[in-house]
Amino acid sequence: MTARSSILDRVRIALANREVVAHPGSFEGWRPFIHSGNPTEQFTEMFEAAGGEVVSFKTQVEASLWVRGFLADFNSLSVGELARGRLNEDAEPDEWIEEMDPSVVEAGVSLAFGAVAETGSLIMTPQDGRRAQLLPPVHVVFVDQAKIYETLSEGLVALKNEVLPGDNESGRLPSAVGLHSGPSKSADIGQVLVKGVHGPGRVVAVIVESAEPRTSKP
Amino acid sequence: MSFSGPKHYRAESAKALKDRPSVRASVTSATDTFNANRSEAYSQIDSDLWRDWARDVKSHALTNLDQYLEQAETQLLANGAKVHWAETAHDALGLLEEIVRDHGIGTAVKAKSMLSEELGINEHLEHLGVHVRETDLGEYIIQLIGEPPSHIVGPAIHRSLEDCQRLFHETFGTPLDDGPDALAAAAREALREEFLAADLGISGGNFLVAETGTVALIENEGNIRLSTSLPRVHIALVGIEKIVPRLEDVSGLVQLTSRAATGQPIGNFFSLIQGPKRDGDIDGPEEVHVILVDNGRTRLLADDKAWEALRCVRCGACLNICPVYRQTGGHPYGWTYSGPIGAIIAPGMLGLEEAMPLPYASSLCGACVDECPVRIPIPELLLHWREKAVEEGLTPSIESAGLKAYTKAAERPGIFRAAGAMLRHIPLDAGGRALPILSGWVKERSAPESSAKSFMQQWKEGIE
Ligand code: SF4
């Protein structure tokens, strides 16, 4: 007998006379506590409370301009596959930022699939490259305001139903999803809070308010 | 270094109290923080509603466990992951060994996993010649020291800042007065090299979603994301009780678990892993193996009462609030899971005789049951195992008399408090039979406030 069948057999024997408990249905517990109805405000509040930073711009052009200025302070950068078009929005090719391997750079730029208001989370997908999301000490993330979901459940379902670049199937989640809800932190040394252990110690969410079509360069 | 089993609990806890007073100081301060954060986080939500919901989701999953395990397997396979089943620790180590051989693994990075402690993964990998590195900062500290974790959420909470300063001074040559930031930076640098070089990443799994074949992992440091993203092979060790039916369920459970564990709305990093790198992905592991582990869980599931303990989401709240745990930290319990949850799953997973005297490592104050996010009736289950111990002749008869009085009194709220106190004191007055740990602290200090009132509160809620 295989391990599989003997484990399943033992489970079935254990459950033979056990009353089946019904599923309680959808998780509605959050509803009384949700913010005044503005997901962007709630996302911002939650994300900042967890130690993240949030900036917001009317258009992608403004957002890109700000991020390129912000990044000028860093000596080396890496840019996620999906974020590249956003970062270079409206920029001339000679202004494009020089990219390096995420393991050696000071800052990384990504594009989030979306964000979640109730938990203050950015939803990161592997199409952008996980290394760029995790290795640099500073992480700058574009997110469209239209894709800030009220609840985690709504955000994950939307992600599941989306056809992502390079993945030709909708109805399934990407190979790996990371929710980033603030900087990397730990209190394992003498119970004192330290930021930037392993993952980025500084994370900046750049909200793009306008959903108008982008004039992006390739 | 591994544990020597629960049977030395009495001696070990006495020793901890006497010889290592700094442990008590560190554990008290850490658990005070956990408790304050959890209270605040619970107060922001309708925690009763959330916990009822979570209890039912987990009970639903457990009472349909066979179906959901099969569904999870089907989904994982469809996602391109490989699925293995391990009945025992021995089987799990065998599977690990096969993967290590097949892929020529030389180095491994590990994300914190209590199951991997339970199975003895590190020792076995070292035995196979694999260099294995714990990457959670707390786990890293205790790996360097050579001791097991003492708490399911904060593995090194028994260690003070001074302990860490000395350790890092010896390991990296950092100045003895370096603060936590400098020490963490030294660890980050050392561990970064290991992340980038590792062939294998090993993780546990907080939840396994049947609907989508998702291994879900909660953390704050980012080391789990790195361990599951950088190496070419990822192995997730998942206890069969971690199953939840739907993606939507995990959305609620991750929030409640985070609030119960650290008081956060959600851990700063939450990974949802479906399988290996796909064509459109930039990076990620080429292979993902999920090892579904029994190792005593079906035995616990078979117990008509104690199966409810399998709902546990390992948040550590019951440890943090437990006046007994708080005195000594987790090491004296002698196995991977300490505190109240450890005491109620040990008899089911290890066998009652093997688990003795853990069901007695409690004052039955009931503080834990007020905090548990999945409403595991911990004191009831402690009594359940004590009853069984009496039946099997594993305990002194004086305890049995006290137990009967207690059970009887429990039917009449008026004298319940007195009976609880009585049972609490019986072991103290029973001379040589007493648990020194209990007599030691009950005499000198009172229990945390919430513990004193919890049973009464429950009764009031029940009768009003
Ligand atoms: S028994 Fe409850 S309180 Fe204790 S660790 Fe498990 S879930 Fe948390």
Side-chain angles (χ1 to χ4, degrees):
Chain A
M1 202 152 72
T2 63
R4 180 185 188 279
S5 61
S6 55
I7 291 173
L8 287 172
D9 279 355
R10 276 208 302 277
V11 169
R12 288 183 187 117
I13 293 165
L15 296 178
N17 297 311
R18 184 88 23 94
E19 204 178 315
V20 172
V21 175
H23 193 285
S26 294
F27 179 66
E28 297 284 349
W30 55 271
R31 291 224 177 255
F33 305 95
I34 208 113
H35 204 268
S36 54
N38 181 332
T40 306
E41 268 176 36
Q42 188 173 13
F43 166 78
T44 303
E45 201 177 285
M46 302 292 282
F47 196 71
E48 287 177 347
E53 297 162 53
V54 180
V55 287
S56 192
F57 297 94
K58 287 263 173 302
T59 64
Q60 181 64 53
V61 172
E62 287 173 48
S64 307
L65 199 66
W66 182 86
V67 171
R68 289 207 302 274
F70 175 83
L71 293 174
D73 290 344
F74 298 91
N75 291 317
S76 51
L77 301 165
S78 69
V79 182
E81 284 298 306
L82 306 180
R84 190 169 299 124
R86 296 293 188 107
L87 184 63
N88 294 319
E89 178 95 13
D90 227 29
E92 295 305 323
D94 63 351
E95 295 170 348
W96 285 22
I97 279 164
E98 192 195 338
E99 295 175 34
M100 293 166 74
D101 186 278
S103 66
V104 298
V105 300
E106 292 177 5
V109 186
S110 310
L111 171 66
F113 163 77
V116 178
E118 71 172 336
T119 54
S121 309
L122 295 164
I123 305 174
M124 311 305 301
T125 64
Q127 282 78 15
D128 212 22
R130 307 193 210 179
R131 287 156 52 92
Q133 300 163 359
L134 294 166
L135 293 172
V138 177
H139 189 202
V140 182
V141 186
F142 290 112
V143 60
D144 290 330
Q145 179 167 298
K147 297 186 92 174
I148 302 181
Y149 299 90
E150 267 195 353
T151 68
L152 180 52
S153 193
E154 285 161 5
L156 292 180
V157 168
L159 176 61
K160 195 163 159 252
N161 292 331
E162 179 108 347
V163 182
L164 293 158
D167 195 347
N168 54 10
E169 273 180 60
S170 77
R172 66 173 190 177
L173 288 169
S175 60
V177 182
L179 296 190
H180 291 204
S181 310
S184 156
K185 63 169 194 169
S186 170
D188 282 339
I189 298 179
Q191 295 135 42
V192 181
L193 185 71
V194 171
K195 282 187 189 174
V197 190
H198 301 313
R202 189 170 173 199
V203 49
V204 185
V206 182
I207 298 175
V208 183
E209 290 170 21
S210 151
E212 78 202 21
R214 294 166 36 225
T215 58
S216 81
K217 299 184 163 65
Chain B
M1 203 178 79
S2 50
F3 287 112
S4 59
K7 63 176 173 296
H8 305 297
Y9 176 75
R10 289 178 165 92
E12 288 298 321
S13 48
K15 207 159 84 190
L17 284 175
K18 193 161 139 290
D19 301 347
R20 294 180 56 200
S22 73
V23 168
R24 179 147 112 180
S26 294
V27 171
T28 303
S29 128
T31 51
D32 280 349
T33 307
F34 279 133
N35 286 334
N37 291 346
R38 184 190 60 252
S39 295
E40 170 63 21
Y42 273 6
S43 77
Q44 295 163 353
I45 57 171
D46 186 339
S47 68
D48 280 330
L49 196 70
W50 284 44
R51 289 188 287 164
D52 286 349
W53 177 86
R55 173 197 59 207
D56 292 348
V57 170
K58 292 289 285 188
S59 286
H60 170 78
L62 288 168
T63 54
N64 295 281
L65 188 58
D66 50 335
Q67 292 165 37
Y68 286 128
L69 280 169
E70 286 178 319
Q71 190 188 359
E73 179 187 46
T74 306
Q75 285 307 318
L76 280 164
L77 292 172
N79 294 342
K82 304 216 167 12
V83 180
H84 314 266
W85 301 69
E87 284 186 82
T88 60
H90 180 79
D91 292 353
L93 297 178
L95 290 163
L96 179 72
E97 190 165 336
E98 255 172 55
I99 299 168
V100 162
R101 294 249 153 85
D102 286 355
H103 292 276
I105 302 291
T107 53
V109 283
K110 265 188 74 206
K112 191 169 89 67
S113 153
M114 292 309 284
L115 177 52
S116 84
E117 298 287 340
E118 177 190 325
L119 300 171
I121 295 292
N122 289 9
E123 292 81 352
H124 194 67
L125 283 174
E126 274 156 21
H127 165 77
L128 295 174
V130 176
H131 171 79
V132 54
R133 177 57 75 204
E134 293 288 352
T135 62
D136 171 88
L137 194 47
E139 288 280 351
Y140 179 56
I141 289 166
I142 58 175
Q143 187 187 27
L144 291 177
I145 296 173
E147 56 184 8
S150 71
H151 185 284
I152 50 183
V153 172
I157 59 164
H158 59 289
R159 288 291 176 180
S160 65
L161 174 58
E162 293 72 45
D163 290 339
C164 298
Q165 285 168 325
R166 259 195 311 278
L167 176 70
F168 280 58
H169 175 69
E170 283 158 23
T171 313
F172 303 113
T174 48
L176 267 170
D177 60 353
D178 258 3
D181 276 310
L183 300 183
R188 176 181 166 113
E189 201 182 303
L191 288 167
R192 181 54 67 90
E193 301 281 310
E194 306 216 27
F195 273 123
L196 292 171
D199 303 312
L200 170 66
I202 299 178
S203 76
N206 289 94
F207 306 103
L208 174 60
V209 187
E211 180 192 22
T212 49
T214 299
V215 177
L217 292 147
I218 312 171
E219 56 156 339
N220 273 321
E221 294 182 9
N223 66 307
I224 296 186
R225 285 222 70 205
L226 286 166
S227 301
T228 59
S229 296
L230 299 186
R232 58 191 158 93
V233 182
H234 168 212
I235 300 177
L237 302 156
V238 184
I240 54 171
E241 83 283 17
K242 298 293 180 191
I243 285 272
V244 297
R246 311 178 306 182
L247 191 58
E248 209 185 311
D249 298 328
V250 101
S251 306
L253 287 168
V254 60
Q255 296 182 56
L256 180 57
T257 303
S258 300
R259 284 179 186 270
T262 55
Q264 294 167 274
I266 190 170
N268 277 7
F269 296 95
F270 184 46
S271 302
L272 295 154
I273 294 165
Q274 283 63 241
K277 174 180 187 292
R278 293 180 196 156
D279 283 349
D281 298 355
I282 307 303
D283 44 26
E286 285 148 30
E287 279 193 19
V288 172
H289 295 259
V290 176
I291 304 185
L292 299 169
V293 180
D294 180 346
N295 203 35
R297 286 161 177 77
T298 50
R299 184 164 160 180
L300 182 54
L301 185 68
D303 188 284
D304 269 341
K305 288 213 167 85
W307 71 271
E308 294 194 54
L310 288 167
R311 287 201 296 264
C312 177
V313 293
R314 306 274 189 266
C315 71
C318 59
L319 280 63
N320 301 332
I321 201 74
C322 178
V324 177
Y325 173 88
R326 286 162 57 88
Q327 301 308 306
T328 62
H331 287 159
Y333 292 78
W335 80 307
T336 312
Y337 307 101
S338 59
I341 182 60
I344 57 172
I345 61 177
M349 288 175 62
L350 305 172
L352 185 52
E353 192 162 0
E354 182 77 10
M356 291 297 281
L358 293 191
Y360 291 86
S362 160
S363 65
L364 291 177
C365 72
C368 47
V369 79
D370 289 347
E371 305 301 328
C372 178
V374 285
R375 297 202 187 282
I376 296 170
I378 298 169
E380 255 175 59
L381 296 181
L382 287 166
L383 284 171
H384 166 70
W385 291 122
R386 289 185 190 188
E387 264 170 53
K388 289 223 153 159
V390 171
E391 273 167 32
E392 292 178 24
L394 296 170
T395 189
S397 58
I398 179 114
E399 182 64 37
S400 151
L403 194 63
K404 283 203 191 99
Y406 185 87
T407 314
K408 210 164 170 160
E411 289 154 17
R412 294 174 54 200
I415 58 167
F416 191 79
R417 185 204 290 270
M422 182 176 77
L423 195 68
R424 252 174 263 161
H425 285 281
I426 278 171
L428 310 186
D429 301 327
R433 316 278 197 196
L435 295 182
I437 164 74
L438 294 182
S439 56
W441 72 267
V442 168
K443 277 173 190 159
E444 73 189 64
R445 53 194 283 165
S446 55
E449 209 186 315
S450 57
S451 68
K453 64 185 179 197
S454 64
F455 260 137
M456 290 311 295
Q457 261 177 350
Q458 276 206 315
W459 269 108
K460 279 197 203 118
E461 281 162 19
I463 56 180
E464 268 161 20

